[in-house]
Amino acid sequence: MNETRLWQDVDDYFDSHLAPEDEVLRAALRDSDAAGLPSVQITATQGKFLHLLAGIVGARNILEIGTLGGYSAIWMARALPEDGRLTTLEYEPRHAEVAVRNIARAGLEKIVDVRVGAALETLPRLAEDNPPPFDLVFVDADKAGNPHYVEWALKLTRAGSVIVVDNVVRGGTVTEADSADEATRGTRATIELIADHPRLSGTAIQTVGGKGYDGFALARVLA
């Protein structure tokens, strides 16, 4: 059995026991696929991880940068209390339309606010709304912009908030200091920002699974 097949089989085993998808989540994936959205959403076990993390930090307000079809937003929003709020930012209007439908099917339209536009334009407008501090921030958008998204996350969070940045291993290219790839350069800048910033304490975890070899960074906002 090749490694990729083995990783997928392990994911399937964990999914079936620890992160089973209901019809709402399966429909979100089907509709995203039917609409031609790229199949780059998180896995079910990753969704369950974010769901559990939101519960662990007692999240009442969540910020997501990169909505895609709303699959990850559904996982996280389900961990919120009835008066909680998840704000998710999506660059592509077509992706946002699919996400809005998927979120409504999940019965979460009153909790989830989908905002369309380039995140570096919508984030300043979000800050002008003076929202309560976000307890959890999930960054899963264009990787070149990640250092900027983390900086904005710091402005919109509080001591004790958690920031998760997805796809930081890049198949191992994160080690390439001279890489010309914008995603790799942005990822390295993000890791170095987390390492050097006085208000962040973080780590990064390598993962394998149905989506291959990658990983995520997790940082806690300090006082």
Side-chain angles (χ1 to χ4, degrees):
M1 182 182 294
N2 65 42
E3 284 187 336
T4 302
R5 181 66 259 171
L6 177 60
W7 296 343
Q8 182 63 67
D9 287 349
V10 172
D11 260 0
D12 291 345
Y13 172 75
F14 287 151
D15 288 351
S16 65
H17 288 279
L18 300 173
E21 294 172 324
D22 57 19
E23 179 54 29
V24 166
L25 289 165
R26 289 191 293 269
L29 293 178
R30 286 197 304 269
D31 284 6
S32 296
D33 185 61
L37 273 61
S39 183
V40 294
Q41 68 280 334
I42 61 171
T43 64
T45 47
Q46 291 167 342
K48 185 65 175 293
F49 169 76
L50 291 171
H51 177 92
L52 290 171
L53 188 59
I56 289 167
V57 302
R60 303 184 67 85
N61 295 286
I62 297 174
L63 173 62
E64 178 181 52
I65 303 175
T67 314
L68 196 60
Y71 182 79
S72 52
I74 293 170
W75 272 109
M76 290 186 288
R78 285 177 165 180
L80 288 170
E82 289 186 2
D83 61 346
R85 191 72 169 167
L86 187 150
T87 302
T88 182
L89 313 181
E90 174 54 46
Y91 176 73
E92 292 285 351
R94 183 168 58 90
H95 296 180
E97 290 174 6
V98 175
V100 167
R101 292 196 298 269
N102 286 333
I103 289 163
R105 182 193 292 115
L108 296 167
E109 66 273 18
K110 294 182 179 179
I111 291 177
V112 179
D113 176 19
V114 180
R115 302 195 180 195
V116 182
L120 292 180
E121 296 176 4
T122 52
L123 282 164
R125 293 198 291 270
L126 175 62
E128 289 174 1
D129 294 341
N130 194 30
F134 290 102
D135 309 297
L136 174 64
V137 179
F138 179 48
V139 181
D140 190 12
D142 63 295
K143 311 312 170 187
N146 279 352
H148 306 293
Y149 303 147
V150 172
E151 290 280 14
W152 271 105
L154 277 167
K155 297 175 184 178
L156 295 167
T157 51
R158 56 169 178 78
S161 295
V162 171
I163 302 168
V164 178
V165 183
D166 204 10
N167 308 127
V168 299
V169 172
R170 317 298 308 159
T173 65
V174 70
T175 63
E176 299 174 4
D178 59 351
S179 175
D181 176 63
E182 288 188 357
T184 298
R185 293 168 65 88
T187 298
R188 287 178 60 87
T190 303
I191 296 300
E192 291 160 17
L193 170 63
I194 292 172
D196 297 338
H197 203 289
R199 292 188 59 219
L200 289 174
S201 176
T203 191
I205 303 295
Q206 300 180 76
T207 61
V208 296
K211 298 185 69 175
Y213 172 42
D214 210 330
F216 64 90
L218 185 149
R220 185 171 185 265
V221 180
L222 306 177

